[in-house]
């Protein structure tokens, strides 16, 4: 009988097929002029823009393997710009001012607008959720980089946590789930290694309103790891930091993680420090300076923070997991989680469980002064 009840519960948590949705017309960059700040995928989708870039800055496109420049999402070309590629080149960066001026002269045609919006969706999944249990939405839409093993491992870990704690968890890769009528049903939304610009303007508005009105957000690893980003509120206000890079020699290293506040509910049951092997993100700004409460930091003396072409990624004070209030809501972000094995590490699993409990708390978050 217990097995039958379990099967019924699982069935209730599976989203029914979404109803037919109209084509997306409010994607964020639909009408933006071509430029060196455009997602490279949008340039590649226009024959004139592609020809121009190949003629004037084709060397930059050769910095990365051809597979990075697919025009079918998810694609790395959706999280890169020509400006970002030039910055990655370092001291030998190409002067792109002439290219930028020439790109801006290319008209944005109706076909360009359709192509730009094609990687977004308005599909609204139908969820049947049980009453009386904390409800979690695991969001997995990617238009940029998708690392299948890490996404799958994180999903399995969150599903195991939900089963162990009696949480109702559903999974979707549809941006249309970010609507007021769907979001209000959930205590927290988990972004599982989300990469690329994935929400339309109306979906962005609904997601922000949900958080500021008292909702919860948990983001892991790639959900703040794009080289180029196109939603300022998400990166500057919600996350409070932008990705700078990660080590490349080697990419995965052992490093020491230390708790910042042992009394925080997010630190409950965690050791004061532990060592993990992962891909360690650095950021262009310290989230501590934008009012975040730091949960854990990375000891840079225990690994080599050197990125592509010798780029120095040392931050000094190096937060790796943090939280903040977002209006009446709560957010938690952890940069840990590229290697699938990290989602089976007991301290990290405990940290993520703590984060779900804290972000899903119904009482309004109390904002602390910026330090």
């Amino acid at each position: 009988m217990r097995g039958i009840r379990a099967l019924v519960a699982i069935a209730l948590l599976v989203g029914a097929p979404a109803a037919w949705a109209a084509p997306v017309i409010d994607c964020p960059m639909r009408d933006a002029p071509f430029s060196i700040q455009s997602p490279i995928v949008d340039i590649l989708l226009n024959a004139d823009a592609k020809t121009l870039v190949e003629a004037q800055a084709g060397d930059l496109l050769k910095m990365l393997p051809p597979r990075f420049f697919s025009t079918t999402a998810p694609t790395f070309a959706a999280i890169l710009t020509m400006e970002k590629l030039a910055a990655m080149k370092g001291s030998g960066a190409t002067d792109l001012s002439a290219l930028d001026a020439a790109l801006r002269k290319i008209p944005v045609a109706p076909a360009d607008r359709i192509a730009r919006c094609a990687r977004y969706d308005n599909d609204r999944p139908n969820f049947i959720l049980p009453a009386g249990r904390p409800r979690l939405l695991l969001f997995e839409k990617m238009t940029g980089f998708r690392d299948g093993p890490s996404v799958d491992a994180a999903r399995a870990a969150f599903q195991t946590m939900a089963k162990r704690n009696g949480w109702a968890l559903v999974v979707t890769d549809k941006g249309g789930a970010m609507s007021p009528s769907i979001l209000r049903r959930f205590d927290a939304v988990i972004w599982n290694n989300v990469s690329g610009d994935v929400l339309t303007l109306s979906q962005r508005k609904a997601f922000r309103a949900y958080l500021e009105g008292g909702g919860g957000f948990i983001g892991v690893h790639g959900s703040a790891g794009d080289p180029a980003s196109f939603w300022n509120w998400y990166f500057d206000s919600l996350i409070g930091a932008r990705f700078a890079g990660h080590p490349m020699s080697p990419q995965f290293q052992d490093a020491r993680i230390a708790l910042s506040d042992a009394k925080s509910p997010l630190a409950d049951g965690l050791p004061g420090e532990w060592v993990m092997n992962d891909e360690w993100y650095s950021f262009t700004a310290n989230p501590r300076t934008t009012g975040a409460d730091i949960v854990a930091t990375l000891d840079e003396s225990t690994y080599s923070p050197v990125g592509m072409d010798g780029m120095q990624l040392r931050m000094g004070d190096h937060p790796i997991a943090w939280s903040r209030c977002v209006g009446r809501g709560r957010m938690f972000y952890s940069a840990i989680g590229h290697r699938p094995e990290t989602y089976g590490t007991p301290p990290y699993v405990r940290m993520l469980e703590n984060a779900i409990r804290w972000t899903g708390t119904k009482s309004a978050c109390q904002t602390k002064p910026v330090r």
Side-chain angles (χ1 to χ4, degrees):
M1 181 63 71
R2 180 178 299 175
I4 294 175
R5 287 199 300 267
L7 289 174
V8 172
I10 291 172
L12 289 172
L13 299 183
V14 176
W20 179 86
V24 173
I25 59 173
D26 69 332
C27 62
M29 292 167 282
R30 186 192 68 171
D31 301 312
F34 289 103
S35 74
I36 60 173
Q37 290 89 32
S38 299
I40 288 178
V41 65
D42 290 347
I43 290 174
L44 298 178
L45 286 166
N46 178 284
D48 292 338
K50 179 182 178 182
T51 298
L52 184 62
V53 165
E54 289 175 339
Q56 296 195 21
D59 59 317
L60 293 179
L61 297 181
K62 297 176 182 178
M63 289 175 57
L64 298 173
R67 62 185 175 85
F68 279 53
F69 299 103
S70 167
T71 56
T72 302
T75 171
F76 213 82
I79 55 174
L80 279 177
T81 65
M82 295 305 299
E83 184 178 58
K84 180 61 66 172
L85 273 180
M88 290 166 61
K89 190 174 181 180
S91 58
T94 305
D95 181 0
L96 298 180
S97 56
L99 174 62
D100 187 61
L103 281 171
R104 291 177 182 275
K105 293 179 181 178
I106 297 175
V108 178
D112 296 314
R113 296 183 176 93
I114 293 172
R116 292 176 181 187
C117 289
R119 55 185 181 268
Y120 300 83
D121 73 82
N122 277 325
D123 301 336
R124 297 190 179 186
N126 299 313
F127 299 119
I128 301 174
L129 295 166
R133 297 165 62 184
R135 299 174 177 185
L136 307 173
L137 176 60
L138 186 62
F139 182 56
E140 298 183 346
K141 184 176 179 68
M142 291 96 179
T143 59
F145 177 70
R146 189 184 193 281
D147 183 73
S150 60
V151 173
D152 294 345
R155 183 193 312 118
F158 284 119
Q159 289 172 329
T160 299
M161 292 178 211
K163 183 178 180 179
R164 181 168 57 245
N165 291 280
W167 301 329
L169 181 144
V170 294
V171 185
T172 186
D173 63 356
K174 302 303 181 184
M178 300 297 144
S179 67
S181 61
I182 293 177
L183 287 171
R184 70 169 63 105
R185 303 178 66 193
F186 293 94
D187 298 292
V189 177
I190 305 167
W191 283 37
N192 179 10
N193 286 283
V194 171
S195 173
D197 195 56
V198 297
L199 302 185
T200 66
L201 294 175
S202 58
Q203 290 160 8
R204 286 181 179 185
K205 181 179 179 180
F207 179 65
R208 179 173 177 176
Y210 162 77
L211 290 179
E212 293 178 342
F217 167 82
I218 299 103
V220 294
H221 192 62
S223 299
D226 290 346
S229 51
F230 306 96
W231 187 8
N232 292 339
W233 177 83
Y234 178 89
F235 288 95
D236 297 334
S237 297
L238 180 61
I239 301 297
R242 293 189 181 231
F243 174 76
H246 59 70
M248 290 300 296
S249 300
Q251 181 177 356
F252 304 110
Q253 302 180 42
D254 285 344
R256 171 182 169 269
I257 296 170
L259 286 184
S260 292
D261 181 4
K263 295 181 180 180
S264 167
L266 291 160
D268 181 56
L270 294 177
E273 60 180 62
W274 67 95
V275 174
M276 292 180 70
N277 185 281
D278 201 18
E279 173 190 76
W280 301 114
Y281 281 2
S282 291
F283 298 90
T284 58
N286 190 325
R288 194 188 303 273
T289 65
T290 59
D293 292 312
I294 307 304
V295 178
T297 59
L298 204 57
D299 183 349
E300 293 181 336
S301 71
T302 61
Y303 78 106
S304 175
V306 179
M308 181 183 293
D309 295 330
M311 178 186 298
Q312 287 298 318
L313 299 171
R314 195 174 299 279
M315 294 178 63
D317 174 27
H318 193 143
I320 201 67
W322 58 87
S323 66
R324 73 170 73 243
C325 297
V326 186
R328 298 181 64 249
R330 301 161 184 252
M331 72 76 70
F332 169 86
Y333 171 74
S334 168
I336 302 167
H338 186 97
R339 298 186 68 236
E341 294 82 355
T342 61
Y343 298 100
T345 304
Y348 191 43
V349 171
R350 183 58 183 257
M351 180 189 287
L352 292 174
E353 285 189 339
N354 290 344
I356 291 172
R357 292 190 186 95
W358 182 79
T359 56
T361 301
K362 293 298 185 182
S363 60
C365 193
Q366 298 299 313
T367 301
K368 297 183 180 180
V370 177
R371 296 187 299 277

